[in-house]
């Protein structure tokens, strides 16, 4: 009778370890990158984790400094939407809200 309990404990312990490994692997991949193109720059900062580095660049060709996020909209992003965020920096290309994105 003891052998049966030991085997059950090993099987249950192995199943628990497999479950923990699966959860750890899913967590390590990071959440998927949201689609920000066409949205306001303020939405980027309110959506991403505060620990995520966000590099913002004016892609209009004027090379302006982005000071007030509410005045800008997103034209490009890296990584692409749906790609996992693994702690890397996010690059956002923006123009003023009244302007068109380059190439459109």
């Amino acid at each position: 009778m003891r052998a049966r309990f030991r085997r059950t404990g090993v099987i249950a312990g192995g199943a628990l370890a497999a479950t923990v490994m699966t959860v750890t692997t899913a967590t390590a991949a990071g959440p998927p990158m949201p689609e920000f193109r066409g949205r306001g720059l303020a939405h980027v900062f309110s959506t991403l984790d505060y620990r995520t580095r966000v590099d913002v660049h004016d892609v209009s060709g004027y090379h302006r400094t982005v000071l007030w996020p509410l005045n800008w909209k997103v034209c490009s992003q890296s990584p692409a939407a749906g790609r996992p965020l693994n702690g890397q920096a996010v690059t956002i290309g923006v123009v003023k809200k009244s302007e068109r994105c380059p190439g459109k």
Side-chain angles (χ1 to χ4, degrees), residues 24-97:
T24 303
T25 304
T27 303
M33 175 72 164
E35 175 66 70
F36 290 122
R37 290 179 297 163
R39 306 286 307 257
L41 180 57
H43 180 70
V44 173
F45 292 112
S46 66
T47 303
L48 293 175
D49 186 274
Y50 72 94
R51 295 171 290 192
T52 303
R53 178 178 165 185
V54 180
D55 295 327
V56 180
H57 305 282
D58 176 13
V59 294
S60 67
Y62 297 118
H63 306 288
R64 298 169 290 199
T65 302
V66 179
L67 297 176
W68 189 248
L70 295 174
N71 292 337
W72 300 83
K73 68 180 176 184
V74 177
C75 292
S76 62
Q77 66 183 61
S78 177
R83 302 290 308 259
L85 288 172
N86 296 321
Q88 76 272 30
V90 172
T91 303
I92 303 291
V94 297
V95 295
K96 291 276 191 172
K97 281 193 171 182

